[in-house]
Amino acid sequence: MLHAKVKARRKDTLHKLSTALVKEYGVIFIGNVNASALTQTRLAKSVLDASWSAFRTMLQYKCDDAGVWFEEVDEAYSTQTCSCCASRTGPKGVAGLGMRSWRCEVCGTLHDRDVNAAKNILAKGMLSRAVGTGLQGGPTSSSFAAGRGRLAEGISAL
Ligand SMILES: [Zn+2]
């Protein structure tokens, strides 16, 4: 699984990234957390806000055009929850943002913070989609991946 990081980037970079994602994936879930709550300076906050919302808007209309499933997922605790055993053992709070990797003290898995968060968002999105469409036993890869190189992508805002 690929993880896409969206920070303060130029608009053409955001266009390239969103286009690449829509080409590659049949389903895209995006974290809905308000990233500004955890950024530390006023400047970083405004740049990140603008960049993130621009990216989100691009991704949504490109998904609509291409027939790719796009959904926002509540990403609360996605950075703190172990994607292997679901224990909430990850770094917490503003201080925890500086920790790029961590080991789950319950199951011992070593996580890259962003990849772990993206996995959690993807899992949450898949679950909500399975429930929302009434699929029994969860989604199947064939129904999602038609014509796409990869199954799905989760994107973390932070
Ligand atoms: Zn764990």
Side-chain angles (χ1 to χ4, degrees):
M1 191 189 66
L2 186 89
H3 169 260
K5 189 75 184 164
V6 181
K7 287 247 167 172
R9 289 191 186 171
R10 287 154 46 113
K11 204 161 193 178
D12 59 330
T13 310
L14 295 176
H15 265 299
K16 277 181 198 151
L17 179 60
S18 54
T19 298
L21 285 167
V22 169
K23 271 190 187 146
E24 190 160 7
Y25 295 93
V27 182
I28 295 174
F29 298 109
I30 195 163
N32 72 346
V33 88
N34 181 2
S36 63
L38 290 170
T39 54
Q40 286 153 4
T41 70
R42 201 169 282 268
L43 182 64
K45 171 180 166 2
S46 61
V47 170
L48 183 57
D49 278 352
S51 196
W52 175 253
S53 68
F55 177 70
R56 192 199 159 290
T57 303
M58 283 173 198
L59 200 55
Q60 176 141 41
Y61 77 70
K62 287 177 187 182
C63 284
D64 286 351
D65 283 354
V68 170
W69 184 282
F70 175 90
E71 192 174 324
E72 275 193 293
V73 174
D74 177 6
E75 76 167 2
Y77 305 113
S78 63
T79 58
Q80 298 173 18
T81 304
C82 172
S83 60
C84 293
C85 73
S87 301
R88 209 171 283 175
T89 52
K92 295 174 180 64
V94 172
L97 284 175
M99 293 177 61
R100 304 319 299 169
S101 64
W102 54 281
R103 186 177 293 281
C104 174
E105 63 199 38
V106 174
C107 72
T109 304
L110 184 63
H111 292 294
D112 175 286
R113 181 182 176 282
D114 298 330
V115 172
N116 179 66
K119 281 181 184 168
N120 284 327
I121 288 167
L122 181 56
K124 224 173 195 179
M126 290 300 225
L127 187 65
S128 86
R129 191 178 175 202
V131 171
T133 55
L135 294 174
Q136 291 294 314
T140 61
S141 56
S142 59
S143 68
F144 279 178
R148 302 281 159 185
R150 288 172 191 259
L151 181 58
E153 170 71 311
I155 300 174
S156 162
L158 288 175

